Amino acid sequence: MEIYLDNAATMRMSDTTVKAILPFLTEKYGNPSSLHAMGRIAYEYLFNFRRQLAECLGAYDDEIYFTSGGTESNNQALLTAASFGTSSGKTHIISQKTEHHAILNVLKRLEKQGFEIELLDTDSEGNITAEQVNNAIRKDTALVTIMTANNEIGTIMPIEEIGKVCREKGVLFHTDAVQAVGHIPINVKKMGCDMLSLSAHKFGGMKSVGALYVRRGILPSVLIEGGGQERGRRSGTENLVGIASMVYALAESTAKMDKYTPKLISMRDRFIKGLLKIPDTKINGSLNKRLPGNVSVCFGGIMGESLSIMLSGMGIYVSAGSACASGSLSPSHVLTAIGVPEELAYGALRISLSEDNILNDKEIEYLIFTIRNCVEKLRKLQG
Ligand code: PLP
């Protein structure tokens, strides 16, 4: 048995999406900027993909900018706000401690440039409240950036309430929705955000493709100069096949969401219940405000890395915390921020489920049994 349970790191592309994008490699491969018929066809597809993506998000076409993924979208959003801040004398930015490094490291850079960065504390489930944001906003606040859902522990933030506070106070609001888009309903107008980042490979599109939603009236900063694509805001020949994959995958996951969400939640909760029966095990994040496919636990007395390598040898692919952060052996900043003691944080395991791996009860029981055996073996070896 080989089973991929690391869908928050990246997801498989569905057969339907693969089939739908192939013609963009073999027949419709023109450059959208070319004036000949092949170019015009590519341009028309690009135009329609932008419209379809906008529709999925509840946005207008001209509010969508295609990028190379979540990291670039986050960079562009934060640097856009920073540029507005600089020109209006606002140098205070509010965020929170469990953001992805694609936010935190940009904030570090902005701090060096003179911005004052205020990272709000979360509660023990990784949540912050709109009230915290409200209390933190000042006259010189240039931006509030709060993720929609956490990539490690799956906690879903009260984005609509935060959006409302920001709108009332006239402060720019960005949300990193990389883990949320394609997994929970998203509507930028309801969320009240001015900017939203998304990434195709987190919902079955290609890697290194994404988008940034930017509300009408805000002009995104130019990070990449060149031929003037994306209305001059993001140059470079458009990755039409990647954009096609993003739009087809999002349309598919949006259409399937109602059917699969209850199944994922039920699987997720079975895993959580089963894993919590292993002695000295703690659940991370919220039990109810949680991404449908996220299971995050910590096992005392072991290293999550050793566990994930052991499971990998048996064909079970999971993550020791966050894929982007693994490779470094310091405990996850997310777990530290929610107050998990350091020794326990080293034993983190994240299982992230997708519609691709709907398991029956027997399979779930087998996986829990196997994880339990591995944890016990490692505890014996390490103790
Ligand atoms: N933001 C979050 C919350 C993520 O989980 C990730 C990737 O794991 C990113 C941003 C970066 O996205 P990308 O891999 O598309 O650069």
Side-chain angles (χ1 to χ4, degrees), residues 8-9 68-72 74 100 102 147 149 151 176 178-179 199 201-202 209 324:
S68 69
T71 302
E72 185 187 324
N74 282 345
H100 191 272
M147 69 200 323
N151 47 302
D176 173 352
V178 165
Q179 290 290 335
S199 173
H201 74 109
K202 304 291 187 182
V209 191
C324 299

Side-chain angles (χ1 to χ4, degrees), residues 47-312:
F47 180 88
N48 285 325
F49 287 143
R50 193 184 307 280
R51 209 192 53 215
Q52 284 172 45
L53 183 67
E55 260 171 34
C56 283
L57 303 174
Y60 299 111
D61 315 14
D62 57 356
E63 295 177 318
I64 302 296
Y65 295 85
F66 293 122
T67 68
S68 69
T71 302
E72 185 187 324
S73 297
N74 282 345
N75 271 262
Q76 193 168 24
L78 269 51
L79 297 179
T80 297
S83 148
F84 278 114
T86 305
S87 56
S88 55
K90 295 182 176 180
T91 54
H92 177 234
I93 296 178
I94 299 167
S95 189
Q96 59 85 31
K97 291 184 176 165
T98 70
E99 293 289 317
H100 191 272
H101 284 112
I103 292 288
L104 293 176
N105 287 341
V106 187
L107 293 177
K108 270 188 198 157
R109 181 196 284 196
L110 291 175
E111 193 167 34
K112 283 192 194 128
Q113 292 172 7
F115 282 85
E116 187 189 334
I117 310 298
E118 184 172 348
L119 296 182
L120 301 176
D121 283 319
T122 71
D123 64 14
S124 60
E125 295 185 343
N127 232 317
I128 62 153
T129 62
E131 198 187 348
Q132 275 176 285
V133 174
N134 194 28
N135 293 341
I137 290 177
R138 309 189 314 214
K139 278 208 173 72
D140 64 341
T141 303
L143 171 75
V144 170
T145 176
I146 304 286
M147 69 200 323
T148 310
N150 187 272
N151 47 302
E152 293 188 34
I153 58 175
T155 302
I156 299 173
M157 301 287 191
I159 293 301
E160 282 185 31
E161 291 160 40
I162 296 170
K164 192 162 171 262
V165 163
C166 292
R167 261 203 319 275
E168 278 165 12
K169 297 229 167 162
V171 175
L172 274 182
F173 175 41
H174 164 255
T175 185
D176 173 352
V178 165
Q179 290 290 335
V181 173
H183 302 282
I184 57 174
I186 293 288
N187 182 302
V188 288
K189 304 298 173 200
K190 266 197 198 159
M191 292 160 90
C193 54
D194 298 297
M195 293 182 277
L196 176 144
S197 305
L198 64 101
S199 173
H201 74 109
K202 304 291 187 182
F203 51 82
M206 282 169 73
K207 290 163 189 64
S208 287
V209 191
L212 178 66
Y213 154 79
V214 184
R215 185 173 55 74
R216 271 183 183 168
I218 302 170
L219 206 53
S221 287
V222 178
L223 266 59
I224 302 173
E225 297 280 4
Q229 289 88 346
E230 295 301 290
R231 291 146 359 255
R233 313 320 292 174
R234 201 281 182 185
S235 287
T237 301
E238 299 87 346
N239 178 359
L240 193 59
V241 64
I243 292 166
S245 77
M246 172 162 64
V247 172
Y248 289 132
L250 185 56
E252 196 180 336
S253 49
T254 307
K256 283 180 174 173
M257 204 178 281
D258 280 353
K259 183 174 168 205
Y260 281 102
T261 300
K263 292 187 187 186
L264 286 172
I265 290 177
S266 141
M267 272 166 49
R268 174 196 77 187
D269 292 346
R270 283 190 77 105
F271 266 109
I272 292 176
K273 213 170 146 199
L275 293 175
L276 284 179
K277 287 193 183 138
I278 303 173
D280 196 12
T281 301
K282 182 198 171 293
I283 171 89
N284 303 312
S286 164
L287 276 178
N288 42 35
K289 287 182 210 143
R290 187 179 197 101
L291 285 173
N294 175 285
V295 177
S296 168
V297 290
C298 283
F299 301 110
I302 64 158
M303 298 292 284
E305 274 78 9
S306 314
L307 179 60
S308 86
I309 290 166
M310 200 178 222
L311 289 167
S312 169

